[in-house]
Every structure is written in structure tokens, then in C-alpha cells.
Amino acid sequence: MTTIRPFRCDDLFRFNNVNLDPLTETYGLPFYLQYLAHWPEYFQVLESPSGEIMGYIMGKAEGSGEQWHGHVTALSVAPEFRRLGLAGKLMNGLEDISEKKQCYFVDLFVRVSNKVAVAMYEKLGYSVYRRVLEYYSGEVDEDAFDMRKALSRDKEKKSVIPLPHPVRPDELD
Amino acid sequence: MASRSHVDINERRLRPIYDCLDNGNNKKAIQEADKVLKKQKDLTCAKVLKALALLRMGRHAEGSSLLSTIHQSEPTEEQTLNAMSICYKETQQYDKIASLYDAASKQQPNNEDILSCLFMAHVRLGNYQQQQRTAMQLHKLRPKKNPYYFWAVMSIVMQAYQNEQLGKTMFLPLAEKMIKKYIQEDKIEAEAEIHLYLIILELQQNWTEALQVLEGPLGAFLGNELHSKETRLATICSKLSKWDRVSSIYKQLLDQMPDNWDFWLKYQEAVFHLVEDSYTDMKQEPSSDDSTPNTHAHLEAMQKFIEDKIQSMQNGVMMRGPYLAEIEFVKQISIRKLTTTSINQKSALELLQEYFQHFGNKSSCYNDIKLYLDLLQAQELDQLVEFMKSDTGLESSDGSLIYARDVNQLTKHLVYLQLTRTMGKHSLLSIQEALALSQELLLRYRDGLQFGKELLPTDIQYSDNYLLLAVHLLLDVWSKTKDDVHLWRAIVHLELAIRDSVSNYQIKLLLIRLYCRKGVFGPCPALYDGMEIKHIMNDTLGHIVSNDVIRLGHFMEAGTMYATMVRFFVVNQKEASEHLMSSYKFGSFGRIHEFVQFQERLDNSLQYHTASTEKMLLELIMQTDRHESTEAAADGMNVHPLTDKTIDLSKLCDNRDLTLALAWDPPELLCATENRQKSFEEEKSWLLLRWTLLHVLLLAVMVGQEMAGVGVVNGNEENTEKKSPLKLLRQRAKDLQNCVQQCQGHKQPNQYHVVQGPSRTRLAEFVSGPHITAVTSVIDCIEYVYSLSQSGLDECPDVKVWALVKDSTQKLVLKDVQGLLKDCDGKRQLDSLALEQLVASVESVSYITIMLGVCSKGLKILKNDWLKKFKKNKASHNSQPEIFDKFNQLILDVSASTKELHQIASCLDPVFSSLDIASLRLADIPDEEQIQREAERLVWTKVESSVQQSSGEICEVLHHKQFYLNTLML
Ligand SMILES: CC(C)(COP(=O)(O)OP(=O)(O)OC[C@H]1O[C@@H](n2cnc3c(N)ncnc32)[C@H](O)[C@@H]1OP(=O)(O)O)[C@@H](O)C(=O)NCCC(=O)NCCS
């Protein structure tokens, strides 16, 4: 059990137990503050009864026309709180908000090697829309899956028909 | 205004300059600008871009003077203004951006863009009054654009935050009135506007009105993401003590989300208020009979609600919320000394046992149960332990080891072990028992690794916490016996474990801690980097290394680490106001005050001030091998010793994350709150001492420059009266001695919890050692030389100042150091205290050298003057004044002490072959003897090379100081 509430600036001082995970990126402050200023409802945090941060989700809504969609920018749950359905809960919340904003779909990028996350997104109804080559730069660049889930507004589920070929990052719209 | 085509031509002409600037080719940018200016003399923007290039090349004087000429001409053209803002942003002259746009808007009062830039310039400065004024101008210009009006309102609210008194009486009522006006005129357009209205009402605690807004037609403007509207409503109702309403809101929310803990807490709070109210009602109506029907009705209803929620999960997903809510209920009943009539009510013990049974296989169960251990008596605690023990199914009665069958069983066993530790059971173990348990857990750890064979390298091994527990037990034994063998064992086990669980930051954290405890910093940078500590973590986690890296004499690494930490804060300060501006743009009014507070917390961060002070002190040690380089280093620092006020300790914020390291010790052993407080006080005293020391040194350097007749430039001195560096130096020297006086309670180093406690500072060494006396003794010399430089050599009284410096410098030389190995009860142990003292002495010698450099600078001038005079009239003066020789002798003496320190440092290099490694042999697990032996050797290699590094770097610094000292001879 958990308290879910909007993320606050001060949480940045306390989210180390979540962010020291190697698959969780710690961004520069402007990045977080921009999300807080612009899409506050898309930035939610989970707190345990003893007051620790258990995980958080950060996202936004963008795009025009049929590309109007919710996007998951970051999702992470601290190791000791995994497999409790928390990530699922955060994703549901983000989907709800995106439904209210009448988005067509929700999408996200995930490292192809991140089997845990890919499996989780699949369980939550997401599918691979396309592969993005060398999306993650690092010592060795890595590809990303662009995964999507259609929302109710996209009745024919057009948004999730997979692309046959991988794309390069500069081809992303 | 120029015609459109005109603008296009200009744009085309300027493009090459922009391109060069973007590519970082500043020289070419200047050439391009000159080219354009030849064709078109009056193209102001080209001049600005030239100035920008000059600034970026470091040609500040030229760039600034060009800019200020343009500034005076009060430009209004958009591109020019833009470019000038960039120049001012890069040089952090934010006030000039405001004055620039202010002048422009006076020229063109109807230019919306200019006004809106002016507004943002005031946002950057946090000048709320001017913000308000400008927003109103914008509103008058574009009355139909709502945001401008609400910018003004928000600016008024910010003034209310700034001045609470006036806020209540003036600003908030005004802001409220302004919004009411819009409501009455039916001009409200956006959700943000209603949000702002609610903020204003809430700040005035006008809950009745806030409730009306939420429930009235205006409430329709508000979105309801994640039930934000209901929870807001409930909050307002609780302010109005409408507990009935609150309880029903949360009940409804819990129907949808029975696992939301916050909802449970608030629901229970509301019901307990209802219970209290019904008691008071009863007292007022004594006619009713003795029983307390209402009270019980409320409690029973709540109990039933909880039970129903638990029942409804029986066939579905098990959620922890309702179960924990039941335990919380029991806790509240007992705190409030209420009774329930229900016969079904289980005891806290039963509930906790049940909870463990259901959820023990989730690691978070530990934290949940820990919250409620207080509810149990000693005997019940034992019962709980027994219950958990048998429930895990892994504790046999005949002492044989039963290993976990799967991850669930393993996790449950870990939760049980962690809880028993928290109950204090491990403190009761004898040394033998503790070692035996540690051994058992290591075996369980090894066995448990089989479950993690398929894990990705980014995952953490399921059984790692067995290892951490085993290591904590070893550390318990280490604390009790003081025998380092246990600590080295702990380190070896951790080093082995990290190979199987490369992503486990807990292991890295603990390794850093333990290595530092033994004076070994060498392996820490790699571990620290391995945790990928960056951005805001520099603030919250920098403390893991920042005290130790310098304490243990890893000067180079210290320089790198402090620079990284400081960079985070400085970069952030430059960007901070961007988010404020976007909040105004997006109408995120709720964030604005939060952002301002957040920025203050960063600006006042203890870590920031410590790291930047240490960084500068370090530069004075590292970048100085002659006095000119000292002066250059001092000039390059962003401090203004003549005008800076003493650092205000009361404003400092402790942003350190001190709970990251896992520790399952009982709260009374962890002392988390006390330790934080104690360490914060220690850190503040230490910072003040170091800050003052830094200022003493910088002022001393200024005195030297003054004696040489160099005008001392310092900050914007435009209208500050001329201050005397010497006078201030005297003041700061007194401050320094006061610091030491006030720290007499810190003569012994503080001890904090081994695993989770903060790291200590070097305050004890500096307060009890010879350092401050040595440094202040040279201040007297500087004063003396200064007075000579004023009065001339003819009045040259014989003083003892030189002798004092000699004596106190000699005291810096450590006595009886034979390497870092000490014999303790027949065992050879590594003792890092000598290293710490040596590093401190090296620092002090460096500071003394700098101040002697100041003396030398003054004396050299005197000597030159004397020589000139001497040549003129040979007859009268034939013997050189004594003072020059005396000074030279002092330099030789200090140099001799430096050599002795050098000698000691080069002897530090430990000869570990002489260490009886057999005594450390870790035949914990026979099968693994080979691997452990190898790991052990690896650890020793790390220790050796770390100490070599410390010793090498110390020698290097001392070497430079000897060179420096040589240049000071007259
Ligand atoms: C991915 C992550 C967010 C999952 O968080 P979580 O709270 O443990 O996930 P949930 O409990 O909600 O899992 C939902 C479902 O996903 C699947 N899943 C989650 N973790 C899994 C794992 N380790 N192995 C297999 N399946 C898993 C399961 O099907 C699970 O449902 P179940 O427990 O009922 O079987 C978490 O592992 C994490 O923070 N990882 C590091 C950061 C990261 O990779 N983020 C994603 C970047 S795009």
C-alpha cells in the first residue's frame, strides 16, 4: 500500500534509493523542473507508510492531430518495492490522465535489453511499434523499442500498427 | 520600426556572425562583425555580437565597454535586445537586462514584446513589485489577454510570501479582490486562474470561501486528475472540521483505491475526530444514559469498513492496504485509550503475525511491520520472533542448515532476520554467537545466488541482504573487540559480493565507508563513480566522500570531486529562473513559490558551501609554488573578502541524504535524528572555521598587494567606502580564534553509526592541534611588515614575531610516526590517525608559506628601497638592517620543518609483507578458500597503493612548498 501524490521539488532530495538503479537516469534539474512546470499532473510519486519514496513516473502529453498522445519519460520503482504492482499502478494513472486529455495513445521508449521492463509493458497491453536504432548513447550505443498502447479515442487502433522497418533517432517525429 | 525587408537584409548579414558564435569560433565572429560594420556602421546588433564574442574569449574589459556604450544608447530593436540579454546572462548581470528593457519600454511604451521581456527580467531578479507593475502595464496594453492580469496577481501573492504581515493585511486581500472582480465580470477563462484563486484563499485560511469555490460553478474549471479535486475538497473540509464529510469522501475514494495509504490515514483521522466529538456531545447532554452508543457506532462502522475491504480481497489480488489499516486502527485505539466492543478484534500481535504470513515474502514487509513494533510488549516481541521463525520454515531445531527453496522463502527469511535485528536481538549475542550467525548467513547468501543466475547485470541479487546482514554482524563484533580482522573480513566479503551483483549500490556505499574508516581512499573514486552520482546527487550524496577525500590526502581527487560538486550548483544558479519564467507562461502558479523555495534550499546547501570553500582552500595549496601563482589563484576566485559578509550559518540547509545506507539496527542504536543534528552542528562549525581561514588567507594576499602599491580590486566597489585589507585581516584573525574557542567541545572526534551515520569532519584535529596557532602567528608578522612598509626601516623595533612562527611551525612536525601500522594488543593494525594529522600539517605549512610570501613581498620592496638609498650615500649606512637576515633565517627554519614532514610522508609507505596475513585468513567457507584468499590479496593491494598515493601526493605538495619557500629568500 502506498500513497500516490504529485511529485514535488523536494522529492528530488530524497529519490536516491530509486535513482541509483542503473537503468534509471538522473537528469539535470532543468529537465525535472520543466516537467513540473508544464505537466504537473503527469509527474506522480509513490510514498511508503514509513515515508520513503517507492517510485515515480514522469510524463507529458504532446503531438497534434492523431499524434496527440501521452508519453512516459521516466518510470522507476526502488528495488525493495518491486513486484508489488506499483509500476502498473503508475502506468494506469498516466493512461487515465491521457484518456481525460483525449489522447489517441500512450507511448514510451525502452532499452531493448531491458527485458524486465519490456515484459512489464507487454503485460500492461503495450506492443512494439517500431525499433529505434542507437537511441541510447553510451559506451556502446543501444537500440530502443518504441512501445505503444492505443487509448479509447483511437477506435481502430491505428496508432499501434507496427512499422516494418527500424528508424533512426533523427527520423523520429 | 524598420520595414520587414530591411529586417531580412540585416538578418542575412548577421547570420555568419551567429554561425561563428554557435560553433565557438569567436575570433572569426569578430572578423565577420567588423566586416558587417564596415558596410553598415550603425548596425547595433553586429556590435553586440562582437561584444559577445569578446566576452566569450575572455576579453572582458573590451566586451563590457562596448556593451555599456550600446546600453547607454537605449536600443529598442528586438534582435539587439536579445543579443544583449545573452551577454548579460552569460556574465550574470541580470539587473542590466532589466534596465535595458526598462529603457526600451520607455521609448516604446506600446511594445508588448519589450514589456513582456521586461516582466521576465524582473522574474529573474525576483523583484516582485516591479513584476506587478510591468504586468499591469501589459494588462492595460492588452486588456483581453487574461494571463497578464494574473501575472500581476501572482506577483502580488509573491510579495505576500515575502512579507507575512503585509501579506495578511494588504497583499492577499488585494489579490483576492482582483480575482473576484474577474469572477464578477465573468472573465475567468482557465483552470490556472481558479487555482490561483484557491491558493490565495488557502493562504488566508478562508476555508469557507474555498469550499464554495470548489463546490460552485467555478469548480467545474478544475480537472480531476487522480482525484485531485476530491482530496482538495477533503482537505478543506477537515480545516472546517466537517469530519462527516471528510470520512465519506475518503470512504468513497477507498472503495476505488483500497490500497492508498494516505486515504486510509485520513479516513481514520476523520472518524476518530467524530468519536471525540461524540464524547463532547455526551458531556454536554448528561441526560443520556451511561453507554456511549455514538462513539461505538463510529468505531464499529470503521471496523466493519476495514473488514469488508479485507473480505473482498479473499478471492482476488491481495493488497496490503486494508490489512495495514487494521493494524493502524489498533494502534490508534491504543494511543487514544479507547475500547472497542467488538469481540472479533484481534490483538496487535495476531495482526502482525497474520501480516507477516501474508506479505513476508515481499521485502517491503520489513518496513511495514517495523512501524508497529512499538505496539508489542517484550514478551509479545519474543512471540512474534518465534512465530516468524517457524513460519519461514528455514530454522531447524537441530541446528542443521535448511536453505530457501525459492525467492519467496528467501525474502521472507530476510524480513524475519531484519526484524529480529531491529528488535535488538543481535546486540544480545555473544561474540562467538554473532560470528557463528554471520557465518551462517554467508552460507545462505552463497546458496541464494543460485536464484539469481538469470538476472540481468542491472538487477540486484535476491540474496545480497544476507551478505549485508552478515557484514553488519562482523561490524558489531569489530566495534566490540576493536579487532580489525573483522573489519577486513567484512571488506573482503563485500568485494567478493560486488562481483556477483555489480549494480548493488549498497555494497559500494558500505565499501566506501569502511575503506575510509581505515584511511584508505584509493578504491573509493571508482566505487563512487560506479554509483553514477550526478546532478542533484552532488548535493544529497556528495557527503559520502567529501570529508574523507581531503582528510586522507588524496589532493588531486579532492580537486576533481569538489569541482564537480560546485559546478552542479553554479550551473543550476544560472538556469534557475528559466523555470520560474515557464511557470508564468504555462500558468503553473502553484509551482512558483515552490521553485523559489527549492532554489533557496540549493543556494543555502551545506554541501555547496563546504565544497566551494574546500575547493578554494585546496587551490591555495595545489596551485601555488611561488607567490605570483598564489596571487593569480586568489584573483581567480569568486569571493570578495573585502565586502563579503560572514557566512550566515543559520540559513544553511542540510540536504544530505543520510538514510540511504541500509541498516536494520534498533532505532536507539542508529540514533538517526540525533546523529543528523549533531553532525550538522559539527559541519557548520567546521565550515565557519574553514571559511574564516580562507578569508584570512585571501586578505593576507591583498595586504601584500597593497604594500606593493597595487590597487586592490574587489567586487563592485562603486559606492562602498575603501576598506583596509589589514584591518579586516585582523578582524578575521580574531574570528578564527573565536571559532576555535567555540569549538572546544569538539576536541574529540565525533563518532557516528558505522554503517549509516554521517562522516565526521576534521574539526577535532584543527581545534586540538597546533594548526590555528601556527597560522595566526604569521598574521603578526604580516602586521609587522606592513607597519614597516608604512614607517620605513628606521623605526624597526626588535620583535619576537619571527620566533613564534618558527616554534609553531616546528610543532606541526609529527613526532614518533613509524608508518601507519600500530601494535594493538599484539596485533598489527592499520592506523590512519597519523595520516590525517600529517595531511593537516601539510595544509598548515602551505598556508604559512603563503603568508610568509606576503611578508617577503613587503620586505623585498623595503630591501630594494634600502639598497637604493645605500648606493646613494654609502657613508652613512653600511650594515644591512638585521631584519632581512632574520627573515631569511625563518624561511630556512620553516623549510627545515617542511623537509621533516617530507621525510615522514615518504616513510608512510607501508610494508605489508611484514604484516601477518595469516592472522587475517578468512577460511569462512572451505570451498571458497581460494577465491577468498585471492580477494584478500586484492584488498591488500588496494590498501597499499592507496597509502602510496597519499604519501606520494603529500610529498609532491611539500616539494612545491619548498620551492615556494626558496623563492621567498631576500
Ligand atoms: C520495470 C519496473 C518499473 C517494474 O516495476 P514493478 O513495480 O516491479 O512492476 P509491477 O510490479 O507493476 O509489475 C507489473 C508486471 O510486470 C511484469 N514484471 C515486472 N517485473 C518483472 C520481473 N522482474 N520479471 C518478470 N516480469 C516482471 C510482471 O508481469 C508484473 O506483474 P506480476 O507481478 O503480477 O507478475 C522496475 O523493475 C524498475 O524500476 N526498473 C528499473 C527502471 C526501468 O527499467 N524503468 C523502465 C524504463 S522505460
Side-chain angles (χ1 to χ4, degrees):
Chain A
M1 100 270 32
T2 334
T3 296
I4 181 165
R5 58 163 179 80
F7 197 95
R8 294 190 288 260
C9 288
D10 280 353
D11 293 322
L12 294 167
F13 292 111
R14 316 193 296 130
F15 70 174
N16 295 320
N17 61 329
V18 181
N19 270 42
L20 286 170
D21 171 275
L23 288 173
T24 305
E25 181 66 24
T26 301
Y27 300 99
L29 285 182
F31 198 67
Y32 296 110
L33 300 187
Q34 178 201 353
Y35 275 79
L36 284 172
H38 202 155
W39 301 282
E41 67 281 7
Y42 269 106
F43 202 165
Q44 300 283 331
V45 60
L46 299 170
E47 211 169 49
S48 77
S50 43
E52 294 141 300
I53 293 191
M54 306 164 96
Y56 61 86
I57 193 167
M58 179 164 95
K60 60 182 168 183
E62 61 182 10
S64 51
E66 292 191 358
Q67 294 301 311
W68 172 241
H69 68 285
H71 175 74
V72 184
T73 305
L75 168 65
S76 187
V77 173
E80 66 265 41
F81 301 109
R82 289 192 186 157
R83 293 315 282 271
L84 294 168
L86 294 180
K89 196 180 282 192
L90 288 170
M91 287 296 291
N92 286 340
L94 186 133
E95 288 161 19
D96 279 353
I97 298 167
S98 304
E99 284 283 0
K100 284 206 177 111
K101 292 192 184 286
Q102 310 208 325
C103 293
Y104 286 88
F105 60 92
V106 171
D107 75 352
L108 55 95
F109 295 102
V110 56
R111 286 175 189 274
V112 292
S113 66
N114 191 349
K115 286 189 259 168
V116 174
V118 173
M120 175 197 66
Y121 290 129
E122 276 170 352
K123 166 127 192 254
L124 296 174
Y126 287 73
S127 56
V128 175
Y129 167 66
R130 58 186 168 183
R131 188 179 177 117
V132 188
L133 299 170
E134 293 169 0
Y135 179 76
Y136 295 101
S137 46
E139 264 163 50
V140 200
D141 291 348
E142 191 180 340
D143 296 355
F145 286 134
D146 177 355
M147 297 184 79
R148 288 188 175 186
K149 178 177 180 173
L151 296 180
S152 59
R153 189 165 178 196
D154 179 13
K155 292 205 181 61
E156 294 154 45
K157 304 212 179 302
K158 281 198 290 197
S159 58
V160 297
I161 302 168
L163 294 191
H165 302 295
V167 298
R168 308 208 59 84
D170 49 21
E171 296 169 279
L172 293 174
D173 31 45
Chain B
M1 214 183 276
S3 74
R4 187 66 223 164
S5 63
H6 211 117
V7 171
D8 285 346
I9 295 174
N10 286 349
E11 252 174 32
R12 211 163 345 108
R13 289 205 173 134
L14 294 171
R15 179 81 353 242
I17 318 181
Y18 277 113
D19 288 344
C20 295
L21 283 167
D22 286 347
N23 299 329
N25 196 343
N26 297 318
K27 226 164 144 187
K28 183 114 186 290
I30 295 176
Q31 289 165 359
E32 291 289 341
D34 284 336
K35 238 197 290 177
V36 175
L37 285 169
K38 226 178 237 165
K39 274 186 225 149
Q40 198 179 340
K41 264 208 315 275
D42 57 345
L43 187 51
T44 320
C45 191
K47 289 189 204 158
V48 180
L49 294 178
K50 181 176 170 181
L52 182 59
L54 287 167
L55 289 173
R56 285 187 179 171
M57 283 172 84
R59 288 159 69 175
H60 287 277
E62 288 166 80
S64 309
S65 91
L66 187 51
L67 269 187
S68 88
T69 323
I70 306 168
H71 197 117
Q72 277 159 20
S73 75
E74 305 193 343
T76 54
E77 190 256 327
E78 187 189 327
Q79 220 169 6
T80 306
L81 293 172
N82 242 332
M84 290 193 68
S85 308
I86 297 175
C87 295
Y88 290 140
K89 256 186 247 172
E90 289 188 6
T91 49
Q92 283 142 280
Q93 295 176 287
Y94 304 125
D95 50 335
K96 295 218 171 133
I97 306 184
S99 89
L100 179 72
Y101 281 104
D102 196 38
S105 80
K106 290 211 173 90
Q107 305 261 339
Q108 297 192 2
N110 293 333
N111 187 324
E112 186 181 352
D113 287 341
I114 289 181
L115 269 178
S116 120
C117 288
L118 178 60
F119 177 80
M120 291 305 171
H122 290 313
V123 170
R124 191 176 268 119
L125 291 170
N127 189 340
Y128 306 130
Q129 222 175 339
Q130 290 300 324
Q131 273 176 227
Q132 178 192 346
R133 201 183 55 90
T134 315
M136 281 317 280
Q137 270 175 287
L138 277 162
H139 165 65
K140 294 218 175 84
L141 195 63
R142 298 275 179 272
K144 291 247 163 62
K145 284 195 179 170
N146 268 20
Y148 294 147
Y149 187 73
F150 286 87
W151 286 3
V153 178
M154 187 64 213
S155 307
I156 296 171
V157 173
M158 289 312 286
Q159 294 175 69
Y161 278 117
Q162 221 172 18
N163 185 336
E164 213 175 310
Q165 194 49 43
L166 278 183
K168 265 188 218 141
T169 54
M170 189 171 94
F171 294 121
L172 292 173
L174 173 62
E176 186 183 337
K177 216 171 87 191
M178 283 177 72
I179 296 193
K180 274 209 172 114
K181 178 163 175 273
Y182 260 46
I183 295 173
Q184 277 149 16
E185 293 171 9
D186 207 15
K187 285 190 189 161
I188 295 291
E189 282 173 358
E191 180 173 351
E193 297 161 7
I194 295 305
H195 269 300
L196 182 53
Y197 189 36
L198 282 171
I199 292 173
I200 293 165
L201 293 174
E202 284 168 9
L203 281 173
Q204 297 183 92
Q205 311 200 336
N206 188 346
W207 309 113
T208 322
E209 193 120 5
L211 186 61
Q212 280 170 14
V213 173
L214 267 186
E215 292 182 314
L218 291 172
F221 275 98
L222 299 176
N224 192 17
E225 280 88 16
L226 301 163
H227 307 283
S228 55
K229 206 158 147 188
E230 277 104 326
T231 46
R232 191 161 204 165
L233 191 62
T235 312
I236 292 172
C237 287
S238 36
K239 297 288 182 189
L240 292 166
S241 300
K242 294 179 185 286
W243 300 114
D244 240 340
R245 185 88 194 272
V246 178
S247 116
S248 81
I249 294 176
Y250 282 116
K251 261 167 86 171
Q252 271 169 22
L253 287 171
L254 283 166
D255 283 337
Q256 299 164 49
M257 294 188 280
D259 212 23
N260 191 315
W261 186 238
D262 192 40
F263 294 170
W264 277 114
L265 288 182
K266 293 198 167 131
Y267 163 63
Q268 294 201 3
E269 188 198 352
V271 176
F272 283 115
H273 274 291
L274 287 173
V275 171
E276 269 162 35
D277 290 351
S278 64
Y279 266 122
T280 17
D281 288 351
M282 258 168 21
K283 281 192 197 120
Q284 282 154 6
E285 281 174 71
S287 57
S288 63
D289 58 67
D290 271 1
S291 68
T292 52
N294 256 334
T295 316
H296 282 149
H298 288 306
L299 288 181
E300 273 162 26
M302 173 147 68
Q303 220 172 349
K304 174 130 192 341
F305 184 73
I306 299 173
E307 273 164 21
D308 285 351
K309 286 279 168 288
I310 293 178
Q311 279 306 316
S312 66
M313 291 187 301
Q314 289 316 323
N315 305 315
V317 196
M318 289 281 266
M319 280 180 287
R320 298 171 302 148
Y323 284 97
L324 208 64
E326 192 172 13
I327 309 178
E328 176 70 24
F329 175 74
V330 171
K331 178 179 162 184
Q332 293 301 332
I333 294 273
S334 103
I335 289 177
R336 291 162 201 265
K337 302 201 168 54
L338 295 168
T339 48
T340 54
T341 46
S342 162
I343 31 163
N344 310 334
Q345 185 49 60
K346 293 178 189 144
S347 71
L349 177 63
E350 285 169 302
L351 289 172
L352 287 172
Q353 288 175 346
E354 205 175 273
Y355 196 83
F356 181 77
Q357 228 170 1
H358 286 312
F359 304 109
N361 58 353
K362 302 286 185 194
S363 41
S364 59
C365 182
Y366 165 76
N367 277 319
D368 297 341
I369 291 189
K370 187 178 147 194
L371 277 180
Y372 295 101
L373 287 180
D374 282 352
L375 288 177
L376 303 185
Q377 308 290 329
Q379 201 195 345
E380 289 172 309
L381 284 174
D382 290 338
Q383 280 174 280
L384 180 61
V385 171
E386 282 311 312
F387 176 86
M388 294 191 292
K389 193 169 166 179
S390 73
D391 193 55
T392 58
L394 294 181
E395 298 278 336
S396 70
S397 47
D398 61 0
S400 61
L401 210 53
I402 312 168
Y403 290 111
R405 281 185 316 274
D406 55 27
V407 176
N408 278 337
Q409 205 180 14
L410 180 146
T411 310
K412 201 166 203 181
H413 192 235
L414 278 170
V415 171
Y416 149 73
L417 288 166
Q418 290 157 3
L419 281 169
T420 44
R421 186 167 172 87
T422 302
M423 293 176 200
K425 303 291 180 202
H426 288 182
S427 321
L428 304 175
L429 300 175
S430 70
I431 307 273
Q432 261 16 334
E433 288 166 329
L435 289 175
L437 180 55
S438 166
Q439 175 98 358
E440 178 194 321
L441 297 181
L442 281 169
L443 291 170
R444 289 186 184 279
Y445 160 71
R446 284 271 144 205
D447 187 75
L449 287 179
Q450 62 175 306
F451 302 119
K453 288 217 174 89
E454 303 289 304
L455 288 177
L456 297 170
T458 44
D459 281 318
I460 292 174
Q461 285 291 341
Y462 300 113
S463 70
D464 278 353
N465 282 355
Y466 271 138
L467 181 104
L468 287 179
L469 275 164
V471 163
H472 290 186
L473 281 158
L474 285 175
L475 295 175
D476 290 350
V477 175
W478 175 63
S479 302
K480 278 190 199 152
T481 62
K482 304 275 179 278
D483 185 347
D484 278 359
V485 165
H486 306 292
L487 182 108
W488 290 117
R489 272 194 185 163
I491 291 183
V492 170
H493 286 308
L494 290 166
E495 286 279 10
L496 279 170
I498 197 86
R499 298 181 187 176
D500 285 308
S501 200
V502 289
S503 302
N504 193 333
Y505 65 86
Q506 289 291 345
I507 300 180
K508 297 175 195 172
L509 210 52
L510 191 49
L511 272 174
I512 293 180
R513 172 51 61 92
L514 298 183
Y515 274 126
C516 287
R517 269 307 258 265
K518 284 283 94 189
V520 179
F521 196 80
C524 299
L527 291 163
Y528 187 76
D529 291 344
M531 289 167 67
E532 287 199 62
I533 288 179
K534 50 184 168 178
H535 302 304
I536 194 166
M537 291 175 174
N538 281 298
D539 188 12
T540 52
L541 294 177
H543 69 92
I544 297 173
V545 287
S546 58
N547 280 332
D548 291 312
V549 63
I550 183 72
R551 179 173 73 86
L552 300 173
H554 284 240
F555 296 105
M556 301 286 277
E557 192 59 49
T560 316
M561 286 179 156
Y562 293 142
T564 312
M565 291 172 198
V566 171
R567 196 177 315 120
F568 160 72
F569 291 99
V570 173
V571 168
N572 166 256
Q573 279 166 354
K574 287 189 189 161
E575 290 168 343
S577 40
E578 303 299 322
H579 324 295
L580 284 176
M581 294 191 251
S582 9
S583 301
Y584 281 99
K585 282 183 197 144
F586 300 131
S588 307
F589 296 122
R591 290 279 178 225
I592 290 172
H593 186 237
E594 189 186 343
F595 284 167
V596 169
Q597 278 184 314
F598 179 62
Q599 193 54 42
E600 278 171 10
R601 214 176 141 179
L602 289 170
D603 290 345
N604 295 321
S605 159
L606 168 72
Q607 188 65 26
Y608 171 39
H609 289 280
T610 328
S612 64
T613 308
E614 290 299 331
K615 175 172 176 276
M616 289 185 273
L617 283 169
L618 193 64
E619 280 164 6
L620 290 178
I621 300 173
M622 299 290 284
Q623 298 177 1
T624 52
D625 54 5
R626 52 166 60 84
H627 200 65
E628 292 76 36
S629 47
T630 303
E631 288 180 345
D635 284 345
M637 288 174 187
N638 191 18
V639 272
H640 308 291
L642 287 183
T643 45
D644 283 353
K645 293 222 172 61
T646 307
I647 187 165
D648 184 357
L649 297 179
S650 67
K651 274 198 181 153
L652 288 182
C653 297
D654 187 357
N655 299 336
R656 295 173 298 167
D657 181 350
L658 293 175
T659 52
L660 187 64
L662 284 173
W664 299 281
D665 296 22
E668 65 275 15
L669 288 184
L670 272 183
C671 302
T673 326
E674 298 89 312
N675 274 345
R676 176 185 277 281
Q677 234 164 14
K678 206 164 111 188
S679 139
F680 190 33
E681 288 309 317
E682 178 188 337
E683 291 278 355
K684 284 197 280 193
S685 307
W686 175 236
L687 173 60
L688 183 61
L689 191 143
R690 299 290 278 178
W691 187 92
T692 315
L693 183 57
L694 174 68
H695 281 249
V696 162
L697 293 168
L698 294 178
L699 286 163
V701 171
M702 286 183 162
V703 173
Q705 287 165 325
E706 198 191 318
M707 286 190 290
V710 182
V712 181
V713 253
N714 189 256
N716 11 345
E717 272 177 304
E718 274 159 22
N719 38 19
T720 51
E721 86 220 66
K722 210 157 165 50
K723 281 188 186 155
S724 141
L726 187 73
K727 225 166 111 191
L728 214 59
L729 174 62
R730 266 188 224 129
Q731 180 57 45
R732 292 292 180 211
K734 242 185 243 148
D735 293 350
L736 192 59
Q737 271 150 349
N738 282 343
C739 283
V740 175
Q741 273 307 314
Q742 263 151 30
C743 292
Q744 289 306 302
H746 287 284
K747 282 191 161 167
Q748 285 302 317
N750 276 337
Q751 291 295 346
Y752 302 106
H753 190 269
V754 188
V755 176
Q756 206 188 50
S759 64
R760 67 174 173 85
T761 67
R762 302 188 288 155
L763 189 56
E765 171 63 20
F766 273 75
V767 171
S768 59
H771 309 283
I772 301 298
T773 323
V775 169
T776 43
S777 71
V778 202
I779 297 177
D780 293 340
C781 298
I782 294 181
E783 284 207 47
Y784 176 59
V785 173
Y786 186 86
S787 72
L788 292 184
S789 83
Q790 300 295 312
S791 63
L793 284 173
D794 299 336
E795 287 158 57
C796 182
D798 193 31
V799 285
K800 295 203 192 68
V801 285
W802 312 120
L804 280 174
V805 176
K806 179 185 168 185
D807 289 350
S808 54
T809 311
Q810 274 170 350
K811 289 204 182 99
L812 292 172
V813 179
L814 284 65
K815 302 280 164 334
D816 310 324
V817 184
Q818 292 120 11
L820 291 182
L821 293 173
K822 280 248 161 72
D823 278 318
C824 296
D825 301 333
K827 291 202 176 75
R828 307 262 276 161
Q829 306 220 344
L830 192 63
D831 173 39
S832 64
L833 201 66
L835 177 57
E836 180 173 346
Q837 288 172 343
L838 185 60
V839 171
S841 289
V842 169
E843 264 193 52
S844 299
V845 163
S846 305
Y847 303 146
I848 290 170
T849 306
I850 288 177
M851 298 209 285
L852 287 175
V854 174
C855 297
S856 163
K857 186 162 181 146
L859 289 172
K860 276 181 182 164
I861 297 168
L862 284 169
K863 188 168 175 184
N864 269 340
D865 292 350
W866 178 80
L867 279 174
K868 269 185 222 154
K869 264 194 222 156
F870 177 72
K871 276 180 196 148
K872 259 190 216 157
N873 42 3
K874 280 176 190 162
S876 55
H877 297 74
N878 39 19
S879 67
Q880 172 172 299
E882 262 192 321
I883 179 164
F884 300 136
D885 285 335
K886 277 192 177 163
F887 182 77
N888 282 344
Q889 185 53 45
L890 175 63
I891 297 294
L892 291 176
D893 293 334
V894 173
S895 199
S897 299
T898 311
K899 279 204 190 81
E900 283 181 72
L901 284 171
H902 194 290
Q903 185 61 27
I904 297 171
S906 39
C907 291
L908 276 188
D909 219 344
V911 191
F912 282 118
S913 47
S914 70
L915 191 72
D916 182 11
I917 287 194
S919 76
L920 294 174
R921 199 154 286 165
L922 308 151
D924 276 328
I925 303 173
D927 297 349
E928 302 194 344
E929 211 179 311
Q930 198 52 41
I931 311 176
Q932 294 202 359
R933 198 74 63 70
E934 182 222 320
E936 190 185 328
R937 262 196 298 275
L938 186 81
V939 168
W940 281 117
T941 321
K942 288 187 179 178
V943 172
E944 240 169 343
S945 72
S946 173
V947 179
Q948 270 164 12
Q949 173 136 14
S950 302
S951 141
E953 292 200 27
I954 292 173
C955 289
E956 174 86 11
V957 170
L958 288 170
H959 192 74
H960 281 293
K961 293 315 128 181
Q962 268 169 21
F963 184 90
Y964 193 158
L965 285 166
N966 280 340
T967 66
L968 302 184
M969 299 286 280
L970 301 173

